[in-house]
């Protein structure tokens, strides 16, 4: 998903001269409202797609419970779940449920999807946070280094590195990490040791984000245990995303470095370090941020694999469990939630872009 | 692809080539293994025994099992080999399928636009934003009916992956289509009535398709990863049906904790290597093919160089006196300059610049010497490729690292050349500063102009932020920025082009430099804005006593500004002299030819009026064209109630500054743009309001010549094909008749028949514009619209093209709407002149009357602002202009 974006950097927005302040709304507000308005059809398409696909699969009750229950019991369960009603009525139920924050209930273990979101979503959020940390730490400095030494040894090595981390599936990297670290007794599955998890059951208020819970509890040993567990999954997923960031930063920096305003800044006697930081890098950030936003999808996709590899009980792990159990009501709920997260992220990115690029604001 | 690859390989070099070849090697290795899997693999992928002997589970690598055995007791090596077969099959299918679906969708959606495009974009963006692996899982479940039966295993996996990648093809192809669609050669095809399917095929697809190998290979590598991910999660191909690396890795995961490494490492490495191969191929192709990533070449092509040289030779033989024909630096001026040396602000001696390129050393500047005294304006003039910009950048050390510079550039008592970047930096912007050609790109868009001025100040002076800001406001005031207190906080995009250039100048004078190098400072600006910027530069010279090196191709600007002129030709100085002397008695034949080639407003004896009894060919009546505004913005009215007529054999010059709507009038006249209201008749037939289909039969009545010769010819069609296209589309001529006609047309624009086989990139700008002219005239049109046909050409080339144009017009007697911003050009060939401003027709009438005795105040201002190539006359005009303004 990343490659096409890395290779075809987006055009910077704008280009047309000065739109003077007009109308009662500031341009920033108008821009954000417009973005929000564009988001609605996108989310609608996504959730409708999920609904349609889930109905195409067939009867969810039959798929999940067929063979274990009698035909009558199945019919009863169907009526309970409202699945015997016309498809449009079900669609209406589904959509109006979304507005109430009701994503449905799982078939196999009768959990509310919103509960899954609170518990497992928190785990995925935590994993995403750690791996983004790794990705930024790897991608940005190395990308700048590669751009600076374009076509020389560091650049070539870094590009090979970025292709390698991209070429290695996250579960293979996970497997290698496990092979390398388990001999030293390093924890390589789960979010914390069982003892820690049991202790943290009693934290109030409980956030389900292990590191926050551990800090709230205040025991350094627990914090260390949580961090240790997070390290391998964060590296596996972070390297994947970091490789993409590296190339993204490199390509966009190379493009801004050849802009006239960079030459102009040099001609004014601005120091090379400042030219790099203030003129080239800041401008390169606009497309970088936009594409990073799209990486959220990659991150979520990677999270499914990473979570399965490391038994990290997040949304992806839970989703693949339900998929194996053919619990399609659960799948529908979780996938809908993911669609909403993707939508929300893309709006968040628009906001960030507005703050990086004044042409959007004025 | 196989035909292109050798070319691609030869275009690459060094490390790039190594990576490309490594990639190909890996890909071919896996394809080979895939094809010959049954012969290469020692056992079947599902066999756990051979000859009745059970392999045993989780056996380490041995002579019988090189890669060991799995937890299921099968041979790892055999599974890896058969896995390659599965992977290659799925990928080839997936890439082909997604290309077959995505490419046409992208083409049609991008080209046709409208609601179809909007809906497709929405759906594709939604698909694209969604986690791809998740999508593939859901689709694979849908396809296999909810339980992973062996439903066409490979095909199901391929389709799941296809759904994921269609949006990528769609997006890339749609974007490419959108940008190609805006190219003038697509308009050129539309003007002659080429049908949409042909445009899509011949003009758009052929140009878009160059990106396909890149997306194809890159998607292949992503497809492998997706397939592996599906297999890993257990949603891939049924394990009994095919060997699959991802599935094997999943099974190997528990082994990792118990130290069994071979079950996971080998299939994992296989994935890494095949993805590495495909990615290396894709990225190398992209590096080589993507013009965005290519290092910037010379500004002018070899063909352009050759053209200027040819013009030079013909002009020299026409004017030539043998003793003056030598190219070396002028000896007289050298003695003159040595007297000034003591006071020179900047002094160049034997400055030479050469670039290392793949084709070897290219000498851009061949040893030039000149001085600038404090308070003096020295103009460096020359056509493209003369080395005028390169030499000025060399002074500040701003050339790319491939440049080699020798000679000396003394600033006071210091030689700038040979200084390291570190020691040069304090001098840049402080003692020598630069003004750039394009103010829109010379300012950083993400900072306010005040921030950028302050940054420059603080780089050279110990000055507080507050004091620097005060100084920035003062500077903006000095360069005539209205309301400087407020505008200091503006971002560049909030200012007009002229105001931006004022900011650039403010930055240049911020530290009171000894020398300002102004590189084409007004070329990107309208003529009235140009006049005020030149005024500003002169007044700054008076007030600050700064020496100015003015690099320009515009002889009018030279006459207006310069004390002394340095004429450059192909990297050497051919003549330098005080301005008045140079214009009055040019000594070198090149200078003389250059001055002769410059059209001079008010001095030409252009054509008179045509017979008023001639038929009216173009009648534009009360034309209004509006472009819809973006959400919440009012519509923009580009053309506002314009009426005009052109008769047979008549040239109407339509002049105006940028944004005046002059091009829109031309585009509307040939149906490239629909009018909002008003009518257009060509030879008595109504053309406005017709659909494309209805208009098609009318198309043979008009031709169109576009501004940019580089982009108005399809780069993938030969010159002969370009000229023949209107004939193919509009006539029933046989191929041999068409060939004859093309040869005739090429002859008529003074290009030999040999040009028919060449491609546009092999031609110079002037030659390409001749080809455009030949194409526009191929159907013997009644009406020719020429939109700035010569503004991208050098003056000597422009002179020849205009001459040819005039001859053809006289001979063929077509009516012509000649659109130009250059009043002097219009003055040489128009019978009548129309002036536009802000979409309105300000004045229309006989050439002599409009350009000689303008009635309207705007026309007067416009004409007064045009600098003429004569210092004495220009001084008079400058004085006169002061009274108008």
């Amino acid at each position: 998903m990343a490659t096409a974006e890395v290779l075809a950097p987006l055009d910077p927005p704008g280009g047309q001269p000065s739109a003077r302040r007009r109308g009662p709304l500031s341009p920033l507000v108008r821009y954000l409202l417009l973005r929000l308005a564009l988001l609605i059809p996108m989310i609608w398409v996504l959730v409708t797609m999920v609904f349609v696909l889930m109905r195409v699969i067939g009867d969810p009750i039959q798929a999940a419970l067929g063979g274990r229950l009698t035909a009558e019991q199945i019919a009863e369960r169907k009526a309970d779940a409202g699945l015997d009603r016309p498809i449009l009525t079900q669609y209406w139920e589904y959509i109006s449920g979304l507005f109430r924050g009701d994503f449905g209930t799982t078939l196999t273990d009768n959990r509310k999807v919103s509960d899954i979101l609170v518990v497992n979503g928190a785990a995925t959020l935590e994993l995403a946070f750690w791996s983004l940390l790794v990705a930024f730490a790897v991608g940005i400095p190395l990308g700048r280094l590669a751009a600076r030494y374009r076509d020389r040894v560091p650049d070539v090595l870094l590009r090979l590195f970025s292709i390698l981390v991209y070429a290695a599936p996250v579960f293979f990297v996970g497997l290698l990490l496990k092979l390398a670290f388990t001999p030293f007794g390093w924890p390589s599955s789960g979010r914390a040791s069982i003892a820690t998890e049991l202790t943290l059951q009693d934290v109030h208020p409980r956030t389900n984000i292990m590191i926050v819970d551990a800090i709230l509890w205040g025991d350094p040993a627990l914090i260390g245990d949580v961090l240790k567990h997070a390290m391998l999954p964060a590296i596996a997923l972070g390297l994947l995303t970091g490789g993409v960031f590296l190339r993204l930063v490199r390509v966009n920096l190379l493009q801004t470095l050849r802009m006239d305003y960079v030459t102009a800044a040099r001609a004014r006697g601005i120091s090379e370090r400042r030219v790099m930081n203030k003129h080239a890098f800041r401008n390169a950030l606009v497309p970088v941020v936009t594409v990073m936003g799209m990486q959220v999808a990659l991150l979520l996709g990677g999270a499914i694999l990473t979570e399965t590899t490391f038994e990290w009980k997040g949304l992806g792990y839970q989703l693949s469990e339900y998929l194996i159990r053919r619990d399609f009501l659960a799948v529908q709920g979780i996938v809908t939630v993911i669609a909403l997260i993707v939508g929300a992220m893309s709006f968040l990115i628009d906001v960030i872009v507005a703050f990086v690029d004044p042409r959007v604001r004025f | 692809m196989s035909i292109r690859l050798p070319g691609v390989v030869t275009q690459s070099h060094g490390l790039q080539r190594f990576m490309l070849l490594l990639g190909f090697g890996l890909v071919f290795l896996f394809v080979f293994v895939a094809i010959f899997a049954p012969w290469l693999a020692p056992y079947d992928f599902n066999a756990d025994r051979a000859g009745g002997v059970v392999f045993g589970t989780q056996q380490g690598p041995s002579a019988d099992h090189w890669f060991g055995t799995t937890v299921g007791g099968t041979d790892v090596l055999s599974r890896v080999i058969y896995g390659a077969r599965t992977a290659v099959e799925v990928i080839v299918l997936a890439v082909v399928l997604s290309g077959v679906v995505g490419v046409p969708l992208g083409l049609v959606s991008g080209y046709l636009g409208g609601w179809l495009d909007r809906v497709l974009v929405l759906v594709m963006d939604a698909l694209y934003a969604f986690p791809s692996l998740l999508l593939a899982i859901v689709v694979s479940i849908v396809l296999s009916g909810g339980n992973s039966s062996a439903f066409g295993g490979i095909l199901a996996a391929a389709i799941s992956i296809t759904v994921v990648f269609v949006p990528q093809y769609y997006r890339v192809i749609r974007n490419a289509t959108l940008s190609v669609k805006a190219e003038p050669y697509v308009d050129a095809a539309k003007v002659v009535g080429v049908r949409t399917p042909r445009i899509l095929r011949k003009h758009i697809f052929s140009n878009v398709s160059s990106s396909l190998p890149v997306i194809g290979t890159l998607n292949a590598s992503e497809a492998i990863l997706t397939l592996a991910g599906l297999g890993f999660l257990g949603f891939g191909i049924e394990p009994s049906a095919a060997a699959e690396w991802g599935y094997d890795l999943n099974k190997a995961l528990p082994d990792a904790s118990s130290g069994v490494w071979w079950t996971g490492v080998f299939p994992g490495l296989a994935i890494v290597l095949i993805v590495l191969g495909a990615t290396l191929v894709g990225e190398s192709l992209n590096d080589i093919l993507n013009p965005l990533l290519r290092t910037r070449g010379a500004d002018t092509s070899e063909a352009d160089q050759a053209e200027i040289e040819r013009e030079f030779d013909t002009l020299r033989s026409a004017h030539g006196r043998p003793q003056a024909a030598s190219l070396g630096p002028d000896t007289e001026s050298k003695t003159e300059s040595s007297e000034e040396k003591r006071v020179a602000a900047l002094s160049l001696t034997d400055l030479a610049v050469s670039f290392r390129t793949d084709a070897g050393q290219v000498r851009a500047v061949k040893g030039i010497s000149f001085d600038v005294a404090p308070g003096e304006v020295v103009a460096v003039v020359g056509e493209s490729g003369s080395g005028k910009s390169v030499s000025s950048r060399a002074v500040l050390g701003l050339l790319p690292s491939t440049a080699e510079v020798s000679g000396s550039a003394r600033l006071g008592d210091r030689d700038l050349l040979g200084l390291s970047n570190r020691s040069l930096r304090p001098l840049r912007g402080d003692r020598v500063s630069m003004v750039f050609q394009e103010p829109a790109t010379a300012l950083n868009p993400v900072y306010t102009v005040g921030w950028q001025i302050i940054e420059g100040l603080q780089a050279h002076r110990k000055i507080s932020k507050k004091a620097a800001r005060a100084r920035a406001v003062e500077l903006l005031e000095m360069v005539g920025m209205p309301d400087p207190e407020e505008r200091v906080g503006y971002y560049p995009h909030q200012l007009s082009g002229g105001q931006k250039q004022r900011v650039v100048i403010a930055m240049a004078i911020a530290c009171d430099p000894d020398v300002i190098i102004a590189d084409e400072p007004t070329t990107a600006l309208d003529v009235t804005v140009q006049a005020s910027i030149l005024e500003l530069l002169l007044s700054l010279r008076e007030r600050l006593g700064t020496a100015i090196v003015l690099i320009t191709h515009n002889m009018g600007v030279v006459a207006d500004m310069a004390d002394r002129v340095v004429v450059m030709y192909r990297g050497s100085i051919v003549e330098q002299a005080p301005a008045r002397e140079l214009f009055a008695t040019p000594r070198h034949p090149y200078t003389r030819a250059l001055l002769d080639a410059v059209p001079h407003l008010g001095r030409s004896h252009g054509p008179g009026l045509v017979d008023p009894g001639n038929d009216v060919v173009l009648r534009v009546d009360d034309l209004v064209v509006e472009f819809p505004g973006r959400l919440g913005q009012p519509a923009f009215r580009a053309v506002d109630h314009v009426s005009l007529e052109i008769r047979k054999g008549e040239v109407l010059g339509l002049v105006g500054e940028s944004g005046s709507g002059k091009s829109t009038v031309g585009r509307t006249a040939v149906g490239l743009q629909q009018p909002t209201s008003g009518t257009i008749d060509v030879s008595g037939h109504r053309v406005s309001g017709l659909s494309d289909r209805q208009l098609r039969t009318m198309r043979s009545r008009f031709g169109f010549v576009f501004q940019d010769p580089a982009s108005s010819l399809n780069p993938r069609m030969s010159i002969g094909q370009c000229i023949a296209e209107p004939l193919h589309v509009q006539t029933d001529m046989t191929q041999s008749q068409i060939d004859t006609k093309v040869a005739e047309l090429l002859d008529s624009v003074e290009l030999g028949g040999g040009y028919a086989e060449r491609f546009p990139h092999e031609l110079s700008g002037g030659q390409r514009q001749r080809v455009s002219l030949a194409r526009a005239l191929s159907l013997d049109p009644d009406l020719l619209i020429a939109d700035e046909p010569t503004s991208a050409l050098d003056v000597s080339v422009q002179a020849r093209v205009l001459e040819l144009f005039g001859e053809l017009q006289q001979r063929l007697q077509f009516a012509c709407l000649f659109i130009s911003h250059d009043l002097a050009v219009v003055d040489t060939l128009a019978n009548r002149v129309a002036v536009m401003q802000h979409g309105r027709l300000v004045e229309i009438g006989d050439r002599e009357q409009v350009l000689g005795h303008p009635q309207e105040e705007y026309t007067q201002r416009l004409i007064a602002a045009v600098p003429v190539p004569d210092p004495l006359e220009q001084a008079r005009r400058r004085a006169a202009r002061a009274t108008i303004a």
Side-chain angles (χ1 to χ4, degrees), chain B residues 129-140:
Chain B
F130 204 69
S132 56
L133 184 63
L134 205 51
L135 193 65
I137 293 173
V138 173
V139 176
S140 94

Side-chain angles (χ1 to χ4, degrees), chain A residues 1 3 7 18 22 247 278, chain B residues 218 222 283 447 493 633:
Chain A
M1 168 141 293
T3 326
L7 295 169
S18 55
R22 219 182 280 160
R247 293 192 294 169
K278 293 281 178 175
Chain B
L218 293 176
E222 293 179 40
E283 294 219 332
Y447 297 108
H493 71 277
Q633 309 259 343

Side-chain angles (χ1 to χ4, degrees), chain A residues 144-208:
Chain A
R144 294 177 52 146
L145 198 69
R148 193 156 167 193
Y149 292 97
R150 183 190 177 167
D151 289 339
R152 281 184 275 165
V153 177
D155 180 33
V156 172
L157 291 180
L158 284 170
R159 289 184 65 191
L160 272 176
F161 166 77
S162 74
I163 295 176
L164 267 179
V165 295
Y166 164 77
V170 64
F171 45 87
F172 180 53
V173 175
L175 184 130
L176 290 181
L177 286 173
K178 280 187 173 201
L179 278 173
F181 281 84
T182 32
F184 308 106
W186 196 278
S188 67
S189 65
R191 296 171 66 194
S193 18
I194 293 166
T196 310
E197 282 206 38
L198 284 175
T199 319
L200 291 180
Q201 293 284 343
D202 304 330
V203 177
H204 282 286
R206 191 161 166 230
T207 60
N208 288 310

Side-chain angles (χ1 to χ4, degrees), chain B residues 79-248:
Chain B
R79 289 197 65 87
V80 169
I81 289 175
Y82 274 98
R85 176 171 257 202
T86 313
V88 170
E89 281 170 351
V90 171
I91 288 147
V92 169
L93 259 176
V95 168
V96 169
L97 279 177
S98 33
V100 165
V101 179
V103 171
L105 278 181
L107 271 178
V108 170
S109 156
Y111 183 71
L112 296 181
W115 65 268
L116 175 78
D117 182 47
R118 255 171 263 159
V119 170
L120 276 173
V121 166
L122 189 63
V123 172
M124 293 290 178
D125 273 359
L127 278 177
Y128 186 75
F130 204 69
S132 56
L133 184 63
L134 205 51
L135 193 65
I137 293 173
V138 173
V139 176
S140 94
I141 291 176
V142 171
L143 285 176
S144 54
N147 47 60
S148 57
S149 69
F151 170 79
I154 304 275
L155 184 65
I159 293 177
S160 318
I161 293 170
T162 300
V163 174
V164 173
F165 291 118
V166 163
Q168 294 202 15
Y169 280 86
Y170 170 83
R171 282 167 62 110
V172 173
I173 295 295
R174 177 176 172 273
N175 286 344
T177 306
L178 285 180
S179 65
V180 170
K181 188 177 141 185
E183 293 283 348
Y185 59 78
V186 174
D187 277 343
K190 278 197 233 165
V191 167
V192 298
V194 180
R195 284 158 208 269
T196 304
R198 187 182 158 100
I199 291 185
L200 280 175
R201 201 160 29 98
K202 283 270 182 185
H203 295 281
I204 298 199
F205 181 70
S206 65
N207 283 294
V208 163
S209 60
S210 62
S211 52
L212 280 181
V214 178
I215 333 173
T217 39
L218 293 176
N219 275 0
S221 51
E222 293 179 40
I224 303 161
L225 291 173
T226 311
L227 176 70
L230 281 176
F232 179 78
L233 292 175
F235 302 102
I237 301 157
E238 174 64 25
S240 60
E244 213 278 300
W245 297 328
Y247 173 83
D248 288 354

